Amino acid sequence: MSDIIAIDHLHKSFGSVKAVQDLSFRVKEGELFAFLGINGAGKSTTIHILCGQLSKDSGNVTICGTNIDEDADRIKRSIGVVFQNSVLDRDLSVRENLASRAALYGIFGKDFRIRLEELSRLLNFQDLLGRPVGKLSGGQRRRIDIARALLHKPRILILDEPTTGLDPQTRSTLWRVIGDLRKTDNMTVFLTTHYMEEAADADYVVILDHGQIAAEGTPLMLKNTYTGDYITLYSQSEAQVQKLGVPYEPIRDAFRVSVPNTATATELILEYPEVFRDYEITKGKMDDVFLAVTGKALTGGAEA
């Protein structure tokens, strides 16, 4: 896959605050790229630079083969953005909001009606078109936010904490739609999120800390590097578990044993087969990775 976003030695400061420090990474076309960090880590600053809403101090940003310094307007037409906070006009109807946005991309008349029908069917908001945005629920508004970002069929969709505060059903619907668009249109998704189960599904992950990359890789690579495995043993006595000589904790109806990696788990299973009559092995989670890398838990909230 080719690079659709290339960032090299990006710097951005606000007075004495170094928001982004020598940031370099690549995003491949068609992938789900997760960009993680606590509030203030530099995520929103980077996104605003990518969208052309904020100037950089130094470094190179290339999107869809175009340098942002040479043709920022062309790049903007390749990107759709769903911000943390809705940018819809609460007083206008859903149709009016989307029509005014479409007009900025030269989408009028029949072309707009066709695109509106496609998106309203895809995101299931046909019955909301005449309703004022201010009368919508949070989940309904989020669907319109995403439709707004998709009007011009962008090659890159930037999702800045898109599912924060949504109910599980709405989150599931949004991810189904995004997954379908990635398959049908080879759309690239650039995601920031505080839900680690969403990051666990990414093709590649970058973790920021104080404006710098603290870790990067596929979710599996990161879990193998920064977390261990857990073995849950059922129907065993504590004396049997102690024979393994590894850290453990009692949980309901079982014991959970911590091992550094799957190879160690395999060695224990072969050496103590009598202990492993009923068990399961799970890898550490992305929450564990984030905590190990940054020393901080990832929690929700708007970034300054």
Side-chain angles (χ1 to χ4, degrees):
M1 293 187 293
S2 59
D3 295 334
I4 196 165
I5 299 175
I7 308 294
D8 293 292
H9 306 294
L10 184 65
H11 288 262
K12 180 64 181 181
S13 296
F14 299 97
S16 61
V17 177
K18 295 180 179 179
V20 175
Q21 304 180 61
D22 199 27
L23 190 62
S24 298
F25 62 85
R26 299 288 186 273
V27 180
K28 300 293 184 183
E29 186 171 10
E31 76 178 355
L32 172 57
F33 180 93
F35 197 53
L36 310 180
I38 64 165
N39 295 334
K43 306 188 306 297
S44 290
T45 297
T46 303
I47 286 174
H48 287 143
I49 291 171
L50 293 179
C51 298
Q53 296 181 327
L54 191 63
S55 62
K56 56 185 172 60
D57 293 340
S58 61
N60 289 306
V61 176
T62 301
I63 300 175
C64 299
T66 300
N67 190 295
I68 201 166
D69 293 330
E70 297 173 358
D71 196 342
D73 288 338
R74 181 179 178 184
I75 288 174
K76 288 178 183 178
R77 298 185 71 85
S78 302
I79 296 175
V81 188
V82 179
F83 293 103
Q84 290 181 32
N85 300 312
S86 178
V87 293
L88 298 168
D89 189 320
R90 296 175 62 87
D91 295 327
L92 296 180
S93 70
V94 169
R95 181 183 284 104
E96 290 166 339
N97 264 280
L98 296 179
S100 62
R101 183 63 179 177
L104 297 177
Y105 294 100
I107 305 171
F108 302 98
K110 182 180 178 182
D111 290 338
F112 171 67
R113 290 193 297 274
I114 291 173
R115 187 59 176 153
L116 182 63
E117 168 60 25
E118 291 172 348
L119 292 172
S120 64
R121 186 173 62 250
L122 186 69
L123 288 158
N124 191 27
F125 61 84
Q126 297 101 320
D127 57 335
L128 303 177
L129 290 171
R131 193 178 302 181
V133 165
K135 300 291 186 181
L136 303 182
S137 69
Q140 291 170 333
R141 226 175 9 252
R142 214 52 173 155
R143 279 184 272 160
I144 311 307
D145 283 323
I146 291 178
R148 178 183 182 276
L150 293 173
L151 276 167
H152 59 299
K153 299 183 178 180
R155 293 178 62 187
I156 302 167
L157 179 64
I158 295 177
L159 300 173
D160 194 5
E161 297 181 32
T163 59
T164 298
L166 298 185
D167 62 271
Q169 183 178 0
T170 303
R171 286 174 61 194
S172 177
T173 298
L174 295 185
W175 278 113
R176 175 185 54 77
V177 170
I178 290 164
D180 289 345
L181 288 170
R182 288 184 62 213
K183 291 176 185 175
T184 58
D185 299 351
N186 197 34
M187 187 176 68
T188 304
V189 177
F190 187 104
L191 169 73
T192 79
T193 182
H194 284 102
Y195 294 110
M196 287 294 95
E197 67 269 29
E198 295 178 346
D201 292 331
D203 298 298
Y204 200 81
V205 177
V206 162
I207 299 176
L208 282 190
D209 194 19
H210 294 97
Q212 298 176 307
I213 293 178
E216 63 179 308
T218 66
L220 180 60
M221 288 167 55
L222 292 171
K223 286 188 280 189
N224 283 340
T225 302
Y226 294 101
T227 72
D229 288 5
Y230 298 101
I231 309 171
T232 305
L233 294 166
Y234 302 98
S235 306
Q236 275 299 353
S237 67
E238 188 165 1
Q240 286 286 82
V241 175
Q242 288 175 341
K243 289 168 57 176
L244 302 177
V246 293
Y248 71 91
E249 61 176 329
I251 57 177
R252 184 172 179 172
D253 300 328
F255 293 92
R256 188 167 72 168
V257 173
S258 300
V259 291
N261 49 50
T262 307
T264 302
T266 303
E267 291 171 4
L268 289 172
I269 293 167
L270 294 174
E271 187 172 354
Y272 301 97
E274 71 279 5
V275 179
F276 293 89
R277 294 195 186 98
D278 187 7
Y279 68 95
E280 60 182 345
I281 301 177
T282 56
K283 287 196 172 293
K285 301 183 182 299
M286 286 300 295
D287 297 87
D288 302 317
V289 170
F290 193 89
L291 187 60
V293 169
T294 67
K296 311 174 189 78
L298 190 58
T299 55
E303 180 177 341

